[in-house]
Amino acid sequence: MAAEQQNEMKIPQMEENKENSIDGSLGLEILQIIKDSQQQHGLRHGDYQRYRGYCSRRLRRLRKTLGFKMGNRHKFTGKKVTVELLSDNRHLLLVLMEAERAWSYAMQLKQEANTEPRKRFHLLARLRKAAKHGEQLEKLCESPRVDAKTKLEAQAYTAYLNGMVQFELQEWKSAMEAFNKCKTIYEKLASAFTEEQAVLYHQRVEEISPNIRYCAYNIGDQNAINDLMQMRLSAGGGGGMMAEKLEALITQTRAKQAAVMSEVEWRGRTVPVKIDKARIFLLGLADNEAAIIQVYKLTHSQFFLCVGCVFCVLPQQKQRERAAEGADSGKVSNLQYLHSYLTYIKLWTVVRRNESMAHALQAKLKEPQTDENKRGPRPQDLIRLYDIILQSLAELSSLQGLEEDHTFQKEVALKTLVYKAYRCFYIAQSYVLVKKWSEALVLYERVLKYTREVQSKAKSFNNSLKDLPDVQELIAEVSAEKYSLQAAPLSDRLDHFRLDPTLLSKQPNLVQFPPDFQPIPCKPLFFDLALNHVAFPPLDDKVEQKGKGGITGYFRGFFGFGS
């Protein structure tokens, strides 16, 4: 805690003691200051209480430095920063920190209001107070002593806080106007500076955009829901406190669409869908497919949604099976087929997610390691991912209703061969790290065997290889690794030239396998032969001699006296 406060003392002082502009006017990097403070003091992890505590401590330091006391320990005296007092940019920073403290308290209450609805009234009061401090900051910046950039940033900051108040009050039109004003100012500021300086303003615009589209949807713009879904698929869209409202809105919209959805087609068979939860999931599946590779979070959420749907269908399926027990039904029922379809989506999501993770690890493996103390990725990490993929593919091949679908079974078998080749390749890589050349060479040969099988069987399944790793790239990599491994044993005799006739043949023997036996020293056995010839000294003087007391001594010892 002491180290954290020491950090707080260093960073703010650098910002607070910045010199004013060259022309003598006051300036404050409002957005830069609040973003740096939020990232360093809790908001990276959504800890608004920690950030509020930081704002309070910073306000106390600023007041002490400026001599801006609010009374004494016995009596509070309210005091405001006025235009006449405005002689230092730290006066502007003082009002900014008051607004940030009130805003962070409101966001903390917003998190707690999910379980305690009464805190919503306190939340609105804190937001109104933050907006009031923002308006005070904007009025102070109207002074001719303040530069133009600070004036614009103050207007944008106040518009954002007012928009948050109206958003919580569900005054959608007023909130949209405030957010649009904030967005316009930041866009103008971004266009006025270099690309490096404009990054922060563009990030702020991206944060505000989902709020604007949400307000537009509630006003009556039905096209806004498509924009919100696209923002959700993007890396940063719909994050933060907006995420819950956005998810609820999308779920509500899908529920309305699910009312008219009645069936789904998969592998040439149409299956009726009568379970509402399964309908909603299948409607959202098309949206998630567009960004499933880029966004791990959506893949993860899709997996658990699918698991929920499977458990919804499973009880009804078992009930139907018990009802039909004893009857000879040659065809799989619609409910069983729907269960197989949902299970297929779940398993294939696992495959694609792990393949994406493996692709990221492969890229890191090829990067040079700059920090030796930091543990980087290893081939063993990839082996585990491919084990999970192969397990999921084995479950796919045993899905009910697809036993006679030979095309599906061949596709799964082909995909299994591809992932087996990659798994075998990284097992060989792990052997290379421990210098087991022979084992690695054997495994590389097996990789080539798998890839040849894939190439021979893939001619009639060109479409099935679109979402699989490139086998040709793996073949090239294995060939390069084989040559380096075959040359590795030669490093033991680089200083000696030896013409080996076997190296001149068409099949040169670079490594002798199995290797020759080498003699090693036996473990010595020790025998204590000197002990038999050692003469030990007499110990008579050390042994206690028995006394001669006669019968008198016997009776004395018997009765316990005279000892």
Side-chain angles (χ1 to χ4, degrees), residues 91-125:
H91 287 104
L92 298 175
L93 187 61
L94 186 67
V95 182
L96 177 63
M97 285 295 106
E98 287 179 340
E100 281 293 288
R101 180 175 64 175
W103 172 82
S104 59
Y105 195 10
M107 294 298 102
Q108 178 189 342
L109 291 168
K110 187 175 179 68
Q111 288 179 334
E112 297 171 358
N114 293 328
T115 54
E116 302 175 65
R118 292 288 302 173
K119 289 192 175 181
R120 177 170 169 75
F121 299 102
H122 195 184
L123 150 70
L124 290 171

Side-chain angles (χ1 to χ4, degrees), residues 31-215:
L31 187 59
Q32 184 70 51
I33 289 172
I34 62 175
K35 281 295 180 184
D36 289 345
S37 301
Q38 289 173 359
Q39 288 297 309
Q40 294 174 16
H41 301 285
L43 260 64
R44 185 178 296 176
H45 310 291
D47 191 349
Y48 291 97
Q49 185 175 4
R50 179 185 164 194
Y51 180 59
R52 181 165 68 96
Y54 162 75
C55 292
S56 300
R57 292 191 298 274
R58 192 169 184 183
L59 278 170
R60 187 162 55 248
R61 290 196 303 271
L62 283 168
R63 287 174 182 148
K64 186 177 181 180
T65 306
L66 295 170
F68 197 81
K69 296 183 178 180
M70 309 285 280
N72 52 39
R73 68 177 62 185
H74 303 293
K75 184 180 179 182
F76 172 79
T77 305
K79 190 176 180 182
K80 293 184 178 180
V81 180
T82 59
V83 178
E84 292 76 17
L85 292 174
L86 201 60
S87 59
D88 195 323
N89 58 357
R90 287 176 291 183
H91 287 104
L92 298 175
L93 187 61
L94 186 67
V95 182
L96 177 63
M97 285 295 106
E98 287 179 340
E100 281 293 288
R101 180 175 64 175
W103 172 82
S104 59
Y105 195 10
M107 294 298 102
Q108 178 189 342
L109 291 168
K110 187 175 179 68
Q111 288 179 334
E112 297 171 358
N114 293 328
T115 54
E116 302 175 65
R118 292 288 302 173
K119 289 192 175 181
R120 177 170 169 75
F121 299 102
H122 195 184
L123 150 70
L124 290 171
R126 291 290 97 187
L127 270 181
R128 288 192 182 101
K129 188 169 185 179
K132 187 177 179 182
H133 286 306
E135 291 169 359
Q136 183 188 355
L137 178 63
E138 185 179 355
K139 288 180 181 177
L140 289 173
C141 290
E142 290 174 357
S143 169
R145 302 177 191 175
V146 181
D147 61 17
K149 179 185 175 184
T150 307
K151 289 178 181 178
L152 286 173
E153 285 206 33
Q155 291 175 12
Y157 182 66
T158 305
Y160 175 76
L161 292 177
N162 285 325
M164 291 294 292
V165 174
Q166 300 301 322
F167 192 87
E168 288 300 325
L169 292 172
Q170 297 185 2
E171 297 290 339
W172 307 117
K173 189 174 181 180
S174 303
M176 187 174 175
E177 290 173 358
F179 285 134
N180 275 324
K181 179 182 177 182
C182 177
K183 180 182 177 182
T184 303
I185 294 173
Y186 282 131
E187 286 175 342
K188 294 293 183 185
L189 285 170
S191 63
F193 295 98
T194 61
E195 188 176 349
E196 292 78 9
Q197 294 173 317
V199 170
L200 195 63
Y201 298 118
H202 287 307
Q203 288 177 352
R204 191 65 161 178
V205 169
E206 290 177 3
E207 292 174 8
I208 298 169
S209 296
N211 299 42
I212 295 173
R213 301 309 299 162
Y214 189 84
C215 294

